[in-house]
Amino acid sequence: MKQIQNKWNKRIIVMISSVCLFCLTVMLCLISTLANQHFMLEQNMQSDYAKKVAAEINREIQSYHYEIGAPAEALEKIVSEELVQKNIELFIRNRYEKEAAELIGEKEVEEKLQEIINTYKQEEAEDDPFASEENNLLIYMTSGIFRRGIQSIYLMSFIDQILTIRERMVSFLPVISSILLVLLSGVFYLYRMSWKKVLWSFAVVIGGAGFQLLSLSVSLYLYDMTSQLDIRTQALQHLLDTYILSFIQFFSVVAIVEVVIAAGLWWIGKRVNTEKKVFSKRNEYK
């Protein structure tokens, strides 16, 4: 009876170790991907976010072509993709580093619009005392469209939530690591009389964590997280789709690596046992 109890105690420790390793892996994956500004910048490039945002900004400015007094074609590229790309990268860096948001090239956009207004304004508008005030209002409105397109309130909120999660995970990381270390030491101590059992136990711990991580990856993929978010622009929708998909792929790769390591440890444990048997038989023949 005591032997059965000890056996189950060992198995429970191995299972708890596997869950702790899973939690630790999830935390490290989140910190190195979602909560990493370089990962976000990489997804920005892969999803052509800047190109799509530039198109959306220009399209919104074009919708006011009648008020501006210019054909829509003249306003097609008032905001360049390069300028948007620089600003988005700056915005992401500032947000992740918790610095005040900056905007570059705003004056450039205003000057372009003023030049278009000067080119297309009608002669009668020159004598209109309210024309200058109206032009200033249009320029201010265009700057607002430019700023809102770059510094998306939805992206800002998303990054802030991710950073809050990162802070919590960083605070839990030493605790989970310490618990896992103690449990693995316990596993090694309990099975210290047999290298085969030590290796197989570690294989179960790592393999179990890998399969849990793989299950989580599949669940996240099927859940379709971005559909649950209140996203109102196609550019941001595509960015977050790419962002979360890359995160899930990273999870899957880590899970597969853990399963492969577990299989390797299991094979080594079996090999150690086989070699011991062969060595014992040779001694008997001698």
Side-chain angles (χ1 to χ4, degrees), residues 22 26 211-221 247-248 251:
F22 164 71
V26 169
F211 280 115
Q212 289 175 75
L213 200 58
L214 204 56
S215 301
L216 179 62
S217 302
V218 173
S219 301
L220 289 173
Y221 181 77
F247 166 66
I248 293 170
F251 251 36

Short mmCIF file of all heavy atoms in Angstrom, two decimals, residues 22 26 211-221 247-248 251:
data_model
loop_
_atom_site.label_atom_id
_atom_site.label_comp_id
_atom_site.label_asym_id
_atom_site.label_seq_id
_atom_site.Cartn_x
_atom_site.Cartn_y
_atom_site.Cartn_z
N PHE A 22 4.82 24.44 -18.20
CA PHE A 22 3.89 25.00 -19.19
C PHE A 22 3.63 26.48 -18.90
O PHE A 22 3.72 27.33 -19.80
CB PHE A 22 2.58 24.21 -19.17
CG PHE A 22 1.43 24.90 -19.84
CD1 PHE A 22 1.40 25.04 -21.22
CD2 PHE A 22 0.39 25.42 -19.09
CE1 PHE A 22 0.34 25.69 -21.85
CE2 PHE A 22 -0.68 26.06 -19.70
CZ PHE A 22 -0.70 26.20 -21.08
N VAL A 26 4.72 29.65 -21.27
CA VAL A 26 3.73 30.62 -21.75
C VAL A 26 4.17 32.04 -21.42
O VAL A 26 4.11 32.95 -22.26
CB VAL A 26 2.33 30.33 -21.14
CG1 VAL A 26 1.37 31.47 -21.42
CG2 VAL A 26 1.76 29.04 -21.71
N PHE A 211 2.77 19.42 -25.07
CA PHE A 211 1.43 19.09 -25.56
C PHE A 211 0.38 20.09 -25.06
O PHE A 211 -0.55 20.44 -25.78
CB PHE A 211 1.05 17.67 -25.15
CG PHE A 211 1.64 16.61 -26.03
CD1 PHE A 211 2.57 15.70 -25.53
CD2 PHE A 211 1.28 16.53 -27.38
CE1 PHE A 211 3.14 14.73 -26.36
CE2 PHE A 211 1.83 15.56 -28.21
CZ PHE A 211 2.77 14.66 -27.70
N GLN A 212 0.56 20.57 -23.82
CA GLN A 212 -0.35 21.60 -23.30
C GLN A 212 -0.22 22.89 -24.12
O GLN A 212 -1.22 23.54 -24.45
CB GLN A 212 -0.01 21.90 -21.84
CG GLN A 212 -0.39 20.79 -20.87
CD GLN A 212 0.08 21.09 -19.47
OE1 GLN A 212 -0.50 21.91 -18.77
NE2 GLN A 212 1.16 20.44 -19.05
N LEU A 213 1.01 23.24 -24.45
CA LEU A 213 1.27 24.45 -25.25
C LEU A 213 0.70 24.31 -26.65
O LEU A 213 0.14 25.27 -27.21
CB LEU A 213 2.78 24.68 -25.32
CG LEU A 213 3.26 26.10 -25.68
CD1 LEU A 213 2.74 27.11 -24.69
CD2 LEU A 213 4.78 26.14 -25.73
N LEU A 214 0.83 23.11 -27.21
CA LEU A 214 0.28 22.85 -28.55
C LEU A 214 -1.25 22.94 -28.52
O LEU A 214 -1.85 23.51 -29.45
CB LEU A 214 0.71 21.46 -29.01
CG LEU A 214 0.75 21.19 -30.52
CD1 LEU A 214 1.62 22.18 -31.26
CD2 LEU A 214 1.22 19.77 -30.79
N SER A 215 -1.86 22.43 -27.47
CA SER A 215 -3.33 22.52 -27.32
C SER A 215 -3.78 23.97 -27.20
O SER A 215 -4.79 24.37 -27.78
CB SER A 215 -3.78 21.74 -26.08
OG SER A 215 -3.41 20.40 -26.17
N LEU A 216 -2.99 24.76 -26.45
CA LEU A 216 -3.31 26.18 -26.30
C LEU A 216 -3.21 26.91 -27.64
O LEU A 216 -4.06 27.76 -27.96
CB LEU A 216 -2.36 26.82 -25.27
CG LEU A 216 -2.56 28.32 -25.01
CD1 LEU A 216 -3.95 28.60 -24.43
CD2 LEU A 216 -1.49 28.84 -24.05
N SER A 217 -2.19 26.57 -28.43
CA SER A 217 -2.00 27.19 -29.76
C SER A 217 -3.20 26.92 -30.66
O SER A 217 -3.71 27.83 -31.32
CB SER A 217 -0.73 26.66 -30.42
OG SER A 217 0.40 26.90 -29.64
N VAL A 218 -3.65 25.66 -30.67
CA VAL A 218 -4.82 25.28 -31.50
C VAL A 218 -6.07 26.01 -31.01
O VAL A 218 -6.86 26.52 -31.82
CB VAL A 218 -5.03 23.75 -31.46
CG1 VAL A 218 -6.33 23.38 -32.17
CG2 VAL A 218 -3.85 23.04 -32.10
N SER A 219 -6.24 26.11 -29.69
CA SER A 219 -7.41 26.78 -29.12
C SER A 219 -7.43 28.26 -29.49
O SER A 219 -8.48 28.81 -29.86
CB SER A 219 -7.42 26.64 -27.59
OG SER A 219 -7.44 25.29 -27.22
N LEU A 220 -6.27 28.92 -29.40
CA LEU A 220 -6.18 30.34 -29.75
C LEU A 220 -6.48 30.56 -31.24
O LEU A 220 -7.12 31.54 -31.61
CB LEU A 220 -4.78 30.87 -29.42
CG LEU A 220 -4.44 31.03 -27.94
CD1 LEU A 220 -2.97 31.40 -27.77
CD2 LEU A 220 -5.32 32.09 -27.28
N TYR A 221 -5.99 29.63 -32.06
CA TYR A 221 -6.22 29.74 -33.51
C TYR A 221 -7.71 29.59 -33.83
O TYR A 221 -8.26 30.35 -34.64
CB TYR A 221 -5.41 28.69 -34.25
CG TYR A 221 -5.57 28.74 -35.75
CD1 TYR A 221 -4.92 29.72 -36.49
CD2 TYR A 221 -6.38 27.82 -36.41
CE1 TYR A 221 -5.08 29.78 -37.87
CE2 TYR A 221 -6.53 27.88 -37.78
CZ TYR A 221 -5.88 28.86 -38.52
OH TYR A 221 -6.05 28.92 -39.87
N PHE A 247 2.25 35.06 -33.31
CA PHE A 247 2.38 34.68 -31.90
C PHE A 247 2.00 33.20 -31.72
O PHE A 247 2.70 32.43 -31.05
CB PHE A 247 1.48 35.58 -31.06
CG PHE A 247 1.24 35.10 -29.66
CD1 PHE A 247 2.27 35.04 -28.74
CD2 PHE A 247 -0.03 34.71 -29.25
CE1 PHE A 247 2.04 34.60 -27.44
CE2 PHE A 247 -0.27 34.27 -27.97
CZ PHE A 247 0.77 34.21 -27.06
N ILE A 248 0.90 32.78 -32.35
CA ILE A 248 0.45 31.38 -32.28
C ILE A 248 1.47 30.45 -32.93
O ILE A 248 1.76 29.37 -32.42
CB ILE A 248 -0.95 31.23 -32.93
CG1 ILE A 248 -2.00 31.96 -32.10
CG2 ILE A 248 -1.32 29.76 -33.08
CD1 ILE A 248 -3.35 32.08 -32.77
N PHE A 251 4.32 30.00 -30.57
CA PHE A 251 3.87 29.05 -29.55
C PHE A 251 4.02 27.61 -30.05
O PHE A 251 4.53 26.74 -29.34
CB PHE A 251 2.40 29.32 -29.23
CG PHE A 251 2.17 29.94 -27.88
CD1 PHE A 251 3.07 30.84 -27.35
CD2 PHE A 251 1.05 29.62 -27.14
CE1 PHE A 251 2.87 31.42 -26.12
CE2 PHE A 251 0.83 30.19 -25.89
CZ PHE A 251 1.73 31.09 -25.38
#
